[in-house]
Amino acid sequence: MKDFWEQVEEARAHKRGIESALKKFLASTAIIGAAVICAGFYDGDQVRVETVYTVQPGDTLWSISEEYLQKNTGGRRYILEFKEGIKELNPWLVDSKEQVHPGDKVTISYWIKKSEVESR
């Protein structure tokens, strides 16, 4: 019969083995989950389009973002992400607190499917 401390050590070793297997399982699950999520973002070959938009009366950065987000057919993008991308291309928008005025020139980039370019 094993003494008490041998049994305790066996129980601890068993617990470490279970913890190790659980960590490997969780890491594998996270990697597979990330791959599945990222695979959903790929929608074929894409082409980046960059254009300059002249602000019209009544335009806001949000309304411009909504308009050009509709043209972004190359993959999933969300309105806030798209708006931040416009601010990144136009640093003056940060200084102006996102206020645009008629006549301002705003550089915008978006992605379209390569097949759409080839069909034009």
Side-chain angles (χ1 to χ4, degrees):
M1 185 167 174
K2 297 178 185 176
D3 74 349
F4 174 75
W5 292 111
E6 287 177 333
Q7 291 177 352
V8 168
E9 188 52 42
E10 282 181 5
R12 286 181 179 158
H14 181 69
K15 181 181 175 188
R16 283 192 300 268
I18 291 173
E19 288 173 346
S20 175
L22 182 60
K23 286 178 185 177
K24 289 176 184 174
F25 172 76
L26 291 175
S28 299
T29 303
I31 291 169
I32 291 169
V36 167
I37 289 171
C38 290
F41 288 108
Y42 180 73
D43 198 12
D45 291 336
Q46 305 169 11
V47 177
R48 183 174 181 263
V49 176
E50 189 169 297
T51 188
V52 176
Y53 175 76
T54 303
V55 176
Q56 303 298 311
D59 282 345
T60 64
L61 184 55
W62 188 269
S63 67
I64 296 167
S65 298
E66 284 182 320
E67 179 182 341
Y68 278 88
L69 183 60
Q70 302 292 322
K71 297 178 182 191
N72 188 81
T73 61
R76 294 183 200 156
R77 287 183 78 184
Y78 300 98
I79 187 73
L80 293 175
E81 174 194 8
F82 197 82
K83 189 175 117 186
E84 288 302 312
I86 294 174
K87 286 170 46 179
E88 220 172 270
L89 285 172
N90 302 276
W92 61 270
L93 286 169
V94 176
D95 297 333
S96 73
K97 298 184 174 135
E98 300 182 12
Q99 297 298 310
V100 292
H101 304 284
D104 285 347
K105 305 283 187 196
V106 180
T107 302
I108 302 169
S109 70
Y110 56 94
W111 295 88
I112 60 173
K113 294 177 184 174
K114 190 174 184 179
S115 60
E116 290 178 22
V117 174
E118 293 168 351
S119 66
R120 290 182 183 178

